[in-house]
Amino acid sequence: MKIIKQKKELRSEIEVLKASGKTIGFVPTMGALHNGHKSLVERAVAENDICVVSVFVNPTQFNNPTDLEKYPRNLKRDAEFLEKIGCRIIFSPEPPEIYLPDELDSRFEFDFGGLDTVMEGKFRPGHFNGVVQIVSKLFQLVQPDKAYFGEKDFQQLAIIHRMVAVMNLQVEIVDCPIVREASGLALSSRNERLNEDERKKAVEISKVLSESRNFAPQLSPIELTQWVVEQINSRPGLEVEYYEIVNTSTLQPVYSWSAASVGCIAVYCGEVRLIDNIRYKTIEN
Ligand code: PAF
């Protein structure tokens, strides 16, 4: 496995792979890898000749400087983890290798077609501009045949699909299911920042979401939203930032169960912001 830090070196590796007709599966990450990433990498390894993983904590997608500063970083550990599961190239540049100085100050603009007006987009202004900015740059460099993203970041995934369509990119986006601990807690790099007590509390998020599915036909989406928020906020140490039940394609709020819908949540567990989501069954009126 190679660890590459320079764009130039990555480009020449990719050129050789492309010239010999190898297919490339790509998993973009910000490091602090866990079994959720493992499932993406294993799939990329199984479905392509070569698996490339990027490990880059992207400054332009953080709107909270403390969050950026505290984001866990450990390339040595990530590299050991990736080597064991068949990754062939890690691309882990420093920010100046990726961004011109003025790109870090000015806002990259993308037409999200409304996908960014809800949920994460509402609470983390500019976040998805940063995501599209970095993922489009990484796609240009890695030129993957397939790229793998987790459904835990449901809104990000919808935006990546739009980005590929709008920019006419020649890459297939593969949606991968959320990986959970046995307790139900969705795996996340941020879980590393939870202490033992907070970890127990965080488990309640997936429990409440899962229970909410039992009420979906009787309660309307608005009533169910209220129920979820009340349930989670009643648990000490948890505070809901948002819970929205939205159409899986447009990400706009739904008012009945007749369209495919997903409930997306962001919750503060102490100082750690966690996200999760759950799909609801479609019920014809
Ligand atoms: O999901 C993430 O870890 C990041 O948003 C991504 C896609 C690697 C872009 O920095």
Side-chain angles (χ1 to χ4, degrees):
M1 186 183 71
K2 286 191 176 159
I3 301 180
I4 297 180
K5 295 202 153 269
Q6 310 295 328
K7 282 188 297 198
K8 203 169 160 214
E9 189 186 346
L10 179 70
R11 273 205 203 98
S12 47
E13 285 289 331
I14 299 292
E15 249 169 51
V16 173
L17 293 171
K18 291 272 167 192
S20 55
K22 302 276 190 223
T23 57
I24 298 175
F26 177 46
V27 183
T29 81
M30 297 208 296
L33 304 178
H34 50 67
N35 285 344
H37 296 109
K38 184 172 175 220
S39 72
L40 307 183
V41 173
E42 284 176 342
R43 196 153 166 200
V45 168
E47 296 179 358
N48 303 274
D49 296 322
I50 301 288
C51 170
V52 178
V53 176
S54 61
V55 175
F56 178 65
V57 182
N58 173 36
T60 66
Q61 71 188 75
F62 285 82
N63 43 358
N64 176 345
T66 318
D67 206 15
L68 172 60
E69 191 194 312
K70 289 201 172 161
Y71 204 86
R73 294 165 170 87
N74 191 338
L75 183 58
K76 188 169 173 285
R77 203 192 70 179
D78 288 341
E80 282 163 11
F81 180 92
L82 289 171
E83 179 139 47
K84 284 192 207 127
I85 53 177
C87 165
R88 291 279 294 279
I89 297 176
I90 297 179
F91 180 51
S92 186
E94 292 301 322
E97 185 66 12
I98 292 292
Y99 292 117
L100 299 172
D102 62 330
E103 281 183 293
L104 291 170
D105 303 329
S106 67
R107 172 70 65 84
F108 171 89
E109 295 290 348
F110 177 73
D111 174 8
F112 293 94
L115 293 178
D116 64 329
T117 57
V118 290
M119 307 187 292
E120 293 297 288
K122 210 157 56 184
F123 287 91
R124 302 175 72 190
H127 167 68
F128 287 121
N129 282 301
V131 170
V132 169
Q133 185 181 28
I134 186 60
V135 175
S136 57
K137 278 176 184 274
L138 291 169
F139 280 3
Q140 278 160 11
L141 289 165
V142 177
Q143 298 172 51
D145 296 277
K146 293 184 182 184
Y148 297 77
F149 291 84
E151 285 182 343
K152 184 169 77 67
D153 295 287
F154 195 88
Q155 192 172 10
Q156 168 170 283
L157 190 47
I159 284 171
I160 297 294
H161 277 287
R162 178 174 168 90
M163 177 191 97
V164 167
V166 168
M167 296 182 176
N168 292 314
L169 304 178
Q170 293 296 312
V171 54
E172 181 188 332
I173 301 302
V174 183
D175 303 3
C176 301
I178 299 180
V179 181
R180 297 181 183 278
E181 287 182 353
S183 66
L185 178 66
L187 297 191
S188 162
S189 304
R190 287 162 195 258
N191 295 355
E192 274 189 29
R193 290 173 54 202
L194 299 171
N195 62 34
E196 214 179 303
D197 182 45
E198 288 170 335
R199 191 171 268 268
K200 279 190 201 136
K201 289 175 177 159
V203 168
E204 294 295 310
I205 302 168
S206 57
K207 271 201 189 142
V208 172
L209 290 186
S210 161
E211 207 185 328
S212 74
R213 296 180 88 178
N214 303 329
F215 298 103
Q218 298 97 291
L219 299 184
S220 70
I222 290 180
E223 289 164 337
L224 195 59
T225 302
Q226 238 172 350
W227 183 85
V228 166
V229 173
E230 278 167 18
Q231 288 295 314
I232 294 186
N233 282 344
S234 71
R235 268 78 166 170
L238 295 183
E239 198 184 335
V240 176
E241 184 171 61
Y242 67 77
Y243 185 58
E244 293 195 37
I245 302 179
V246 298
N247 181 298
T248 54
S249 317
T250 63
L251 302 189
Q252 297 310 302
V254 294
Y255 300 99
S256 78
W257 300 112
S258 58
S261 55
V262 57
C264 298
I265 198 159
V267 180
Y268 275 96
C269 180
E271 283 191 355
V272 186
R273 186 177 185 276
L274 300 171
I275 60 169
D276 200 347
N277 63 70
I278 191 144
R279 303 239 189 181
Y280 295 105
K281 278 201 202 113
T282 307
I283 293 155
E284 298 304 329
N285 289 323

